[in-house]
Amino acid sequence: MQHGTRSNGIAHTVGGFASAAAAEGGPDLWEQMYRLNVLTTLNIFRAALPPMCAAGRGSLLAIGAGAAVKAPSGLGAYAGAKSAVHRLVESFADELKADRIRVNAILPSIIDTPQNRAAMPDADHTAWVRPREIADAIAFLLAEDASGVTGAFIPVSGRV
């Protein structure tokens, strides 16, 4: 985002993760995942739109999830919420393409963070996606070089 009142692009990186078997995760977990992932995407996209519409161009980017394409065991609520984020990206992309506002998502796999390392100490961390790799994908999709890309879901999966 640039300084001042004009916004050329924004990457929405707010979200949350939790795991539980689909048959065991209660309504509170599903609601939490929905609020953290879907409603934050909707609210941030809506807040970013007025200056982009005024400028006649812009780029919105969400963090989706590879798990939303094919949900693994134990991630039903998370995958369901991220699937809804994907549908928001599709809807916004279709609605805003005539306004020259691009809307895309990247789909990371396991991100190499201290929290994930602590939660999975025996995993092969070298296969995980480095935050820098995600940042590079975000920078590309927000840049003018990607002006022809909208409604795309770009996997950033490392070697997972």
Side-chain angles (χ1 to χ4, degrees), residues 121-132:
D122 296 327
D124 178 6
H125 307 133
T126 64
W128 295 355
V129 175
R130 295 185 325 256
R132 177 62 195 205

mmCIF file with all atom_site columns, all heavy atoms in Angstrom, residues 121-132:
data_model
loop_
_atom_site.group_PDB
_atom_site.id
_atom_site.type_symbol
_atom_site.label_atom_id
_atom_site.label_alt_id
_atom_site.label_comp_id
_atom_site.label_asym_id
_atom_site.label_entity_id
_atom_site.label_seq_id
_atom_site.pdbx_PDB_ins_code
_atom_site.Cartn_x
_atom_site.Cartn_y
_atom_site.Cartn_z
_atom_site.occupancy
_atom_site.B_iso_or_equiv
_atom_site.pdbx_formal_charge
_atom_site.auth_seq_id
_atom_site.auth_comp_id
_atom_site.auth_asym_id
_atom_site.auth_atom_id
_atom_site.pdbx_PDB_model_num
ATOM 1   N N   . PRO A 1 121 ? 7.735  -30.843 15.947 1.00 0.00 ? 121 PRO A N   1
ATOM 2   C CA  . PRO A 1 121 ? 9.196  -30.856 16.090 1.00 0.00 ? 121 PRO A CA  1
ATOM 3   C C   . PRO A 1 121 ? 9.896  -31.959 15.306 1.00 0.00 ? 121 PRO A C   1
ATOM 4   O O   . PRO A 1 121 ? 11.077 -31.827 14.983 1.00 0.00 ? 121 PRO A O   1
ATOM 5   C CB  . PRO A 1 121 ? 9.410  -31.032 17.599 1.00 0.00 ? 121 PRO A CB  1
ATOM 6   C CG  . PRO A 1 121 ? 8.148  -31.644 18.099 1.00 0.00 ? 121 PRO A CG  1
ATOM 7   C CD  . PRO A 1 121 ? 7.056  -31.133 17.210 1.00 0.00 ? 121 PRO A CD  1
ATOM 8   N N   . ASP A 1 122 ? 9.199  -33.044 14.984 1.00 0.00 ? 122 ASP A N   1
ATOM 9   C CA  . ASP A 1 122 ? 9.839  -34.157 14.284 1.00 0.00 ? 122 ASP A CA  1
ATOM 10  C C   . ASP A 1 122 ? 9.663  -34.086 12.762 1.00 0.00 ? 122 ASP A C   1
ATOM 11  O O   . ASP A 1 122 ? 10.151 -34.965 12.047 1.00 0.00 ? 122 ASP A O   1
ATOM 12  C CB  . ASP A 1 122 ? 9.276  -35.488 14.796 1.00 0.00 ? 122 ASP A CB  1
ATOM 13  C CG  . ASP A 1 122 ? 9.600  -35.698 16.274 1.00 0.00 ? 122 ASP A CG  1
ATOM 14  O OD1 . ASP A 1 122 ? 10.678 -35.236 16.721 1.00 0.00 ? 122 ASP A OD1 1
ATOM 15  O OD2 . ASP A 1 122 ? 8.772  -36.302 16.976 1.00 0.00 ? 122 ASP A OD2 1
ATOM 16  N N   . ALA A 1 123 ? 9.003  -33.050 12.268 1.00 0.00 ? 123 ALA A N   1
ATOM 17  C CA  . ALA A 1 123 ? 8.759  -32.923 10.827 1.00 0.00 ? 123 ALA A CA  1
ATOM 18  C C   . ALA A 1 123 ? 10.018 -32.455 10.102 1.00 0.00 ? 123 ALA A C   1
ATOM 19  O O   . ALA A 1 123 ? 10.952 -31.929 10.711 1.00 0.00 ? 123 ALA A O   1
ATOM 20  C CB  . ALA A 1 123 ? 7.623  -31.934 10.584 1.00 0.00 ? 123 ALA A CB  1
ATOM 21  N N   . ASP A 1 124 ? 10.017 -32.642 8.786  1.00 0.00 ? 124 ASP A N   1
ATOM 22  C CA  . ASP A 1 124 ? 11.118 -32.176 7.943  1.00 0.00 ? 124 ASP A CA  1
ATOM 23  C C   . ASP A 1 124 ? 10.865 -30.702 7.605  1.00 0.00 ? 124 ASP A C   1
ATOM 24  O O   . ASP A 1 124 ? 10.184 -30.382 6.637  1.00 0.00 ? 124 ASP A O   1
ATOM 25  C CB  . ASP A 1 124 ? 11.198 -33.016 6.667  1.00 0.00 ? 124 ASP A CB  1
ATOM 26  C CG  . ASP A 1 124 ? 12.298 -32.557 5.732  1.00 0.00 ? 124 ASP A CG  1
ATOM 27  O OD1 . ASP A 1 124 ? 13.093 -31.655 6.098  1.00 0.00 ? 124 ASP A OD1 1
ATOM 28  O OD2 . ASP A 1 124 ? 12.355 -33.097 4.606  1.00 0.00 ? 124 ASP A OD2 1
ATOM 29  N N   . HIS A 1 125 ? 11.413 -29.810 8.401  1.00 0.00 ? 125 HIS A N   1
ATOM 30  C CA  . HIS A 1 125 ? 11.191 -28.377 8.222  1.00 0.00 ? 125 HIS A CA  1
ATOM 31  C C   . HIS A 1 125 ? 11.766 -27.863 6.915  1.00 0.00 ? 125 HIS A C   1
ATOM 32  O O   . HIS A 1 125 ? 11.325 -26.832 6.414  1.00 0.00 ? 125 HIS A O   1
ATOM 33  C CB  . HIS A 1 125 ? 11.800 -27.589 9.385  1.00 0.00 ? 125 HIS A CB  1
ATOM 34  C CG  . HIS A 1 125 ? 11.356 -28.074 10.724 1.00 0.00 ? 125 HIS A CG  1
ATOM 35  N ND1 . HIS A 1 125 ? 12.229 -28.298 11.751 1.00 0.00 ? 125 HIS A ND1 1
ATOM 36  C CD2 . HIS A 1 125 ? 10.134 -28.393 11.201 1.00 0.00 ? 125 HIS A CD2 1
ATOM 37  C CE1 . HIS A 1 125 ? 11.572 -28.724 12.807 1.00 0.00 ? 125 HIS A CE1 1
ATOM 38  N NE2 . HIS A 1 125 ? 10.300 -28.807 12.498 1.00 0.00 ? 125 HIS A NE2 1
ATOM 39  N N   . THR A 1 126 ? 12.750 -28.563 6.364  1.00 0.00 ? 126 THR A N   1
ATOM 40  C CA  . THR A 1 126 ? 13.371 -28.088 5.122  1.00 0.00 ? 126 THR A CA  1
ATOM 41  C C   . THR A 1 126 ? 12.423 -28.174 3.934  1.00 0.00 ? 126 THR A C   1
ATOM 42  O O   . THR A 1 126 ? 12.646 -27.519 2.922  1.00 0.00 ? 126 THR A O   1
ATOM 43  C CB  . THR A 1 126 ? 14.657 -28.883 4.803  1.00 0.00 ? 126 THR A CB  1
ATOM 44  O OG1 . THR A 1 126 ? 14.318 -30.254 4.567  1.00 0.00 ? 126 THR A OG1 1
ATOM 45  C CG2 . THR A 1 126 ? 15.656 -28.777 5.953  1.00 0.00 ? 126 THR A CG2 1
ATOM 46  N N   . ALA A 1 127 ? 11.360 -28.965 4.053  1.00 0.00 ? 127 ALA A N   1
ATOM 47  C CA  . ALA A 1 127 ? 10.392 -29.082 2.961  1.00 0.00 ? 127 ALA A CA  1
ATOM 48  C C   . ALA A 1 127 ? 9.320  -27.992 3.016  1.00 0.00 ? 127 ALA A C   1
ATOM 49  O O   . ALA A 1 127 ? 8.593  -27.785 2.051  1.00 0.00 ? 127 ALA A O   1
ATOM 50  C CB  . ALA A 1 127 ? 9.721  -30.463 2.999  1.00 0.00 ? 127 ALA A CB  1
ATOM 51  N N   . TRP A 1 128 ? 9.223  -27.311 4.131  1.00 0.00 ? 128 TRP A N   1
ATOM 52  C CA  . TRP A 1 128 ? 8.172  -26.313 4.321  1.00 0.00 ? 128 TRP A CA  1
ATOM 53  C C   . TRP A 1 128 ? 8.469  -25.030 3.551  1.00 0.00 ? 128 TRP A C   1
ATOM 54  O O   . TRP A 1 128 ? 9.602  -24.742 3.190  1.00 0.00 ? 128 TRP A O   1
ATOM 55  C CB  . TRP A 1 128 ? 8.019  -25.992 5.792  1.00 0.00 ? 128 TRP A CB  1
ATOM 56  C CG  . TRP A 1 128 ? 7.543  -27.128 6.642  1.00 0.00 ? 128 TRP A CG  1
ATOM 57  C CD1 . TRP A 1 128 ? 7.155  -28.372 6.225  1.00 0.00 ? 128 TRP A CD1 1
ATOM 58  C CD2 . TRP A 1 128 ? 7.425  -27.136 8.047  1.00 0.00 ? 128 TRP A CD2 1
ATOM 59  N NE1 . TRP A 1 128 ? 6.786  -29.138 7.297  1.00 0.00 ? 128 TRP A NE1 1
ATOM 60  C CE2 . TRP A 1 128 ? 6.938  -28.404 8.434  1.00 0.00 ? 128 TRP A CE2 1
ATOM 61  C CE3 . TRP A 1 128 ? 7.671  -26.191 9.039  1.00 0.00 ? 128 TRP A CE3 1
ATOM 62  C CZ2 . TRP A 1 128 ? 6.693  -28.738 9.755  1.00 0.00 ? 128 TRP A CZ2 1
ATOM 63  C CZ3 . TRP A 1 128 ? 7.429  -26.540 10.352 1.00 0.00 ? 128 TRP A CZ3 1
ATOM 64  C CH2 . TRP A 1 128 ? 6.944  -27.794 10.709 1.00 0.00 ? 128 TRP A CH2 1
ATOM 65  N N   . VAL A 1 129 ? 7.433  -24.253 3.365  1.00 0.00 ? 129 VAL A N   1
ATOM 66  C CA  . VAL A 1 129 ? 7.555  -22.975 2.669  1.00 0.00 ? 129 VAL A CA  1
ATOM 67  C C   . VAL A 1 129 ? 8.162  -21.937 3.611  1.00 0.00 ? 129 VAL A C   1
ATOM 68  O O   . VAL A 1 129 ? 7.704  -21.780 4.747  1.00 0.00 ? 129 VAL A O   1
ATOM 69  C CB  . VAL A 1 129 ? 6.166  -22.482 2.197  1.00 0.00 ? 129 VAL A CB  1
ATOM 70  C CG1 . VAL A 1 129 ? 6.263  -21.102 1.573  1.00 0.00 ? 129 VAL A CG1 1
ATOM 71  C CG2 . VAL A 1 129 ? 5.556  -23.459 1.230  1.00 0.00 ? 129 VAL A CG2 1
ATOM 72  N N   . ARG A 1 130 ? 9.183  -21.265 3.124  1.00 0.00 ? 130 ARG A N   1
ATOM 73  C CA  . ARG A 1 130 ? 9.784  -20.182 3.901  1.00 0.00 ? 130 ARG A CA  1
ATOM 74  C C   . ARG A 1 130 ? 8.934  -18.918 3.754  1.00 0.00 ? 130 ARG A C   1
ATOM 75  O O   . ARG A 1 130 ? 8.406  -18.646 2.673  1.00 0.00 ? 130 ARG A O   1
ATOM 76  C CB  . ARG A 1 130 ? 11.203 -19.913 3.424  1.00 0.00 ? 130 ARG A CB  1
ATOM 77  C CG  . ARG A 1 130 ? 12.150 -21.084 3.678  1.00 0.00 ? 130 ARG A CG  1
ATOM 78  C CD  . ARG A 1 130 ? 13.586 -20.761 3.298  1.00 0.00 ? 130 ARG A CD  1
ATOM 79  N NE  . ARG A 1 130 ? 13.715 -19.895 2.139  1.00 0.00 ? 130 ARG A NE  1
ATOM 80  C CZ  . ARG A 1 130 ? 14.069 -20.313 0.922  1.00 0.00 ? 130 ARG A CZ  1
ATOM 81  N NH1 . ARG A 1 130 ? 14.338 -21.570 0.697  1.00 0.00 ? 130 ARG A NH1 1
ATOM 82  N NH2 . ARG A 1 130 ? 14.164 -19.452 -0.071 1.00 0.00 ? 130 ARG A NH2 1
ATOM 83  N N   . PRO A 1 131 ? 8.783  -18.136 4.802  1.00 0.00 ? 131 PRO A N   1
ATOM 84  C CA  . PRO A 1 131 ? 8.011  -16.893 4.694  1.00 0.00 ? 131 PRO A CA  1
ATOM 85  C C   . PRO A 1 131 ? 8.474  -16.003 3.541  1.00 0.00 ? 131 PRO A C   1
ATOM 86  O O   . PRO A 1 131 ? 7.655  -15.346 2.890  1.00 0.00 ? 131 PRO A O   1
ATOM 87  C CB  . PRO A 1 131 ? 8.224  -16.225 6.051  1.00 0.00 ? 131 PRO A CB  1
ATOM 88  C CG  . PRO A 1 131 ? 8.407  -17.383 6.989  1.00 0.00 ? 131 PRO A CG  1
ATOM 89  C CD  . PRO A 1 131 ? 9.201  -18.394 6.192  1.00 0.00 ? 131 PRO A CD  1
ATOM 90  N N   . ARG A 1 132 ? 9.767  -15.995 3.257  1.00 0.00 ? 132 ARG A N   1
ATOM 91  C CA  . ARG A 1 132 ? 10.289 -15.175 2.155  1.00 0.00 ? 132 ARG A CA  1
ATOM 92  C C   . ARG A 1 132 ? 9.700  -15.617 0.810  1.00 0.00 ? 132 ARG A C   1
ATOM 93  O O   . ARG A 1 132 ? 9.445  -14.796 -0.066 1.00 0.00 ? 132 ARG A O   1
ATOM 94  C CB  . ARG A 1 132 ? 11.821 -15.256 2.126  1.00 0.00 ? 132 ARG A CB  1
ATOM 95  C CG  . ARG A 1 132 ? 12.472 -14.516 0.994  1.00 0.00 ? 132 ARG A CG  1
ATOM 96  C CD  . ARG A 1 132 ? 12.156 -13.056 1.106  1.00 0.00 ? 132 ARG A CD  1
ATOM 97  N NE  . ARG A 1 132 ? 12.454 -12.386 -0.142 1.00 0.00 ? 132 ARG A NE  1
ATOM 98  C CZ  . ARG A 1 132 ? 12.740 -11.121 -0.219 1.00 0.00 ? 132 ARG A CZ  1
ATOM 99  N NH1 . ARG A 1 132 ? 12.776 -10.373 0.847  1.00 0.00 ? 132 ARG A NH1 1
ATOM 100 N NH2 . ARG A 1 132 ? 12.982 -10.590 -1.383 1.00 0.00 ? 132 ARG A NH2 1
#
